[in-house]
Amino acid sequence: MTPTFAELDWHKMSQQERDLGLNNGVAVTGSADLVGCWEQRSAAMRQRHPAHLDLRYGPRERNRIDFFEAREQGPTLLFIHGGYWQHRAKEIFATFAEGPMAHGINIALIGYTLAPDATLDEIVAEIHGGIDYLAGQLPALGAASGGIVVSGWSAGGHLTSMALSNTHVRAGMAISGIYDLEPIRHSYLNVKLGLDEAMSRRNSPMMMAGGAPKPLSLVVGSAELPLLRQQTADFACHRARYGLPVTYEEIPGANHFTIMDELSSPKGRITTLIRQLFERTAG
C-alpha cells in the first residue's frame, strides 16, 4: 500500500526518490504544453495592458514589475512566479491576472533574479525591495493604498510566506509552496541554489518560531506530489501551533499546474480565497 503523504519521511528516501518526489515536470504529463499555453495567453494579456510594464524596482535585470489596473482605486495583489527559484519569469504568468481583475483587483507581477545568479537570501531581499517600491508607487498608479495582498505559486508560494513580514503586506495566498527547504537542499535542485544548512534554515518558514501574525491562505492540489502536499499541510499545522491566522485547503483533482486554473478563472477557488483575504483585512 502506498503511504499517505503524512507518513512520508524524506530523510529515509534515496537520492533518486527524493529527486523524483520534487520533480513536477516529470510527474505531470504534458506540463510543458500547459506552460506554453500560459505563455501564449500571457503575451496577449500584456498586449491588452501595456501601460505599466517592466517598472524597475532595483538594479538587476529581472528587478521589474508589471502592473495591470482593474479599476481606479482598486486594491492590489502582488503575484510571485514559481520555477524552483531558478526557472521561468513573470511574463509567463500574466494570464492569471484575469480572475482577480474581474473583481476589480489590480495585479502586479514581480520578477526576481534567478539562481545561481542570486542566492536565496538575495532573492528574498529582492522581493521585499519590490514590495517596498510597489507600495510607494500605488498612488501614482491610481491604486488604493492601505496594504498589498501577496500571492505566489510553487517557489512563489515560499516567497509569499517570506514576504508576510513586510510592513506593506496585509495577507498572503500561497499556492503549492515549499516551506521547509531542507528536502530541497538534499535534492538535485540545490545544484543551482547552493543552499547550505544555515541559509536553508533561515529561509524556511517551518523552521522559524512563530511568524507574521497576518492571514495566510494555503492551497495545494490533491493530485500533487505527496512531498508537496505534505509541505503545505505541515506548514498549516505550524502556523496553527503558534496561533497564527491560517487556512488550509486541497483543490480536488488538481495537479501542480492545473491548480492555477483556480486563479485564472473569476469563479475559481483561489480567486475566491483572494477576495476573502481582501475583505477580511479591509481597513
Side-chain angles (χ1 to χ4, degrees):
M1 181 181 294
T2 303
T4 65
F5 73 88
E7 297 169 330
L8 289 174
D9 184 350
W10 66 266
H11 300 84
K12 298 178 181 178
M13 293 180 172
S14 68
Q15 181 73 54
Q16 182 181 31
E17 289 171 333
R18 198 156 49 239
D19 288 349
L20 286 173
L22 294 166
N23 194 324
N24 294 294
V26 170
V28 180
T29 302
S31 59
D33 292 334
L34 287 172
V35 175
C37 289
W38 295 355
E39 194 163 3
Q40 291 176 0
R41 298 201 310 264
S42 292
M45 184 72 172
R46 286 166 58 83
Q47 287 182 342
R48 292 196 300 272
H49 298 273
H52 304 294
L53 300 180
D54 292 319
L55 306 175
R56 181 170 287 282
Y57 71 84
R60 305 189 75 171
E61 177 58 29
R62 284 174 169 256
N63 293 165
R64 300 169 187 266
I65 291 173
D66 295 338
F67 181 84
F68 301 146
E69 182 182 356
R71 66 178 173 88
E72 187 77 14
Q73 290 303 304
T76 298
L77 174 76
L78 177 73
F79 184 82
I80 309 171
H81 74 80
Y84 274 137
W85 309 274
Q86 54 197 278
H87 303 293
R88 305 205 168 96
K90 65 177 172 59
E91 288 80 5
I92 298 173
F93 294 83
T95 184
F96 300 108
E98 296 188 75
M101 286 181 72
H103 300 281
I105 299 170
N106 303 318
I107 306 294
L109 297 102
I110 187 170
Y112 54 90
T113 307
L114 302 179
D117 294 330
T119 67
L120 199 52
D121 286 334
E122 291 170 333
I123 292 170
V124 170
E126 285 186 358
I127 296 300
H128 279 279
I131 292 169
D132 292 342
Y133 167 84
L134 179 62
Q137 291 297 307
L138 289 179
L141 292 168
S145 54
I148 297 164
V149 171
V150 176
S151 181
W153 167 76
S154 197
H158 163 265
L159 294 171
T160 292
S161 67
M162 297 297 288
L164 277 185
S165 62
N166 190 288
T167 56
H168 301 296
V169 172
R170 61 202 250 191
M173 171 78 248
I175 307 162
S176 305
I178 301 289
Y179 311 103
D180 176 1
L181 296 175
E182 280 297 277
I184 301 294
R185 186 168 72 89
H186 290 87
S187 78
Y188 75 103
L189 295 163
N190 205 38
V191 173
K192 288 186 176 181
L193 282 172
L195 295 169
D196 59 19
E197 184 175 1
M199 191 186 302
S200 170
R201 289 183 174 276
R202 66 175 169 264
N203 288 291
S204 292
M206 273 200 290
M207 299 286 185
M208 300 175 185
K214 300 171 184 177
L216 177 65
S217 291
L218 299 170
V219 298
V220 68
S222 71
E224 295 207 46
L225 286 164
L227 283 178
L228 295 184
R229 293 172 59 213
Q230 183 184 46
Q231 285 263 344
T232 299
D234 285 353
F235 188 42
C237 290
H238 171 87
R239 285 188 60 88
R241 189 178 308 122
Y242 284 96
L244 302 170
V246 64
T247 64
Y248 166 79
E249 200 167 312
E250 287 200 1
I251 305 297
N255 63 42
H256 194 66
F257 297 89
T258 59
I259 193 171
M260 291 297 286
D261 295 342
E262 301 298 320
L263 179 58
S264 60
S265 169
K267 296 182 179 179
R269 181 59 183 160
I270 295 175
T271 301
T272 298
L273 290 170
I274 287 170
R275 291 175 61 200
Q276 291 174 352
L277 285 172
F278 277 108
E279 292 165 2
R280 288 172 59 192
T281 58

